Amino acid sequence: MSIRQLIIRVRTSFWYLPTVYGVLAFIIAIISMLFDRFLARQSFYSSIPNVFLSDMDLAQTILSSLSTSLLTMTTITFSSILVVLTTYLSQFSPRALQNFITDHHTQRVLGIFIGGFIYTIILLLLVRENDTSTLFIVPTFAIFVSIICLGMFVFFIHHVTTWIKVSNLIFHITMKTMNSIHNHYVGENEFQAESPWKNWEYEELTTVKPYLLISKKSGYIY
């Protein structure tokens, strides 16, 4: 296996985007804590409203609650969705689950959930007593991150309810089929008719005038 094929295989795997988001969340958590201590050393806390500042006990309580909530939300969300998809793919196609798993929207949402959990748990580890200040602003950052994760949760529910519709399933299958045809179809100049089409049936089909029905958008007739 070449290096290019290995890179493509890694980028198309399910754990690639969640891993990237997790590493970024780890780095951002450390930067946030350094920024917190920088504000404390420069005495900028006097110009920040007290509602955005927390002492060590409150900061640990907030971060602990947020990390537990994010992990619980991630587990319950994907467990419920997989149960729905298991029932769904048994009635339609086994490829439905694979298509959902490899969907970039699904991977990004899972990555944001994991990133939010890692962000809060790293901040919980770094929030300790120090000689600079007894106040912390990082719990406010963690609350903003949890709000983003909550918004992604709503987006994910909407995405799933839209994705599992039969019309969307047919649309995705149609688009992939058309792309495959365009990528692999032999040119008209290189096409050679097979022997079954060289008999009288082929001539009869060519004499029938086709009726073209052009649709303005993709979909199905019901």
Side-chain angles (χ1 to χ4, degrees), residues 7-23:
I7 294 175
I8 294 175
R9 186 174 180 180
V10 170
R11 294 190 62 180
T12 55
S13 61
F14 180 68
W15 52 266
Y16 172 72
L17 281 180
T19 302
V20 172
Y21 279 87
V23 173

Side-chain angles (χ1 to χ4, degrees), residues 25 67 70 111-121 145 149:
S67 60
L70 290 175
I112 291 176
F113 284 172
I114 294 177
F117 171 75
I118 293 177
Y119 181 80
T120 54
I121 204 70
V145 171
C149 293

Side-chain angles (χ1 to χ4, degrees), residues 83-195:
V83 170
V84 174
L85 288 177
T86 302
T87 306
Y88 181 75
L89 66 88
S90 63
Q91 298 179 3
F92 293 96
S93 172
R95 294 187 60 185
L97 180 60
Q98 183 66 24
N99 293 338
F100 177 78
I101 293 299
T102 56
D103 182 44
H104 286 291
H105 294 294
T106 304
Q107 295 180 359
R108 287 192 184 98
V109 171
L110 179 60
I112 291 176
F113 284 172
I114 294 177
F117 171 75
I118 293 177
Y119 181 80
T120 54
I121 204 70
I122 294 300
L123 289 182
L124 181 61
L125 179 65
L126 296 178
V127 170
R128 299 177 180 179
E129 292 184 357
N130 55 81
D131 298 332
T132 305
S133 174
T134 57
L135 299 177
F136 299 90
I137 197 174
V138 286
T140 303
F141 298 158
I143 291 176
F144 290 150
V145 171
S146 64
I147 293 175
I148 294 175
C149 293
L150 184 61
M152 294 305 299
F153 172 76
V154 177
F155 164 78
F156 182 68
I157 296 299
H158 172 74
H159 172 66
V160 171
T161 54
T162 304
W163 188 85
I164 63 176
K165 291 181 180 179
V166 179
S167 58
N168 290 327
L169 175 63
I170 297 175
F171 173 76
H172 290 304
I173 294 176
T174 303
M175 293 302 298
K176 288 187 177 181
T177 304
M178 294 176 63
N179 292 332
S180 179
I181 291 175
H182 290 312
N183 293 331
H184 301 93
Y185 180 67
V186 181
E188 190 174 326
N189 297 329
E190 302 177 5
F191 178 75
Q192 296 180 357
E194 298 180 356
S195 56

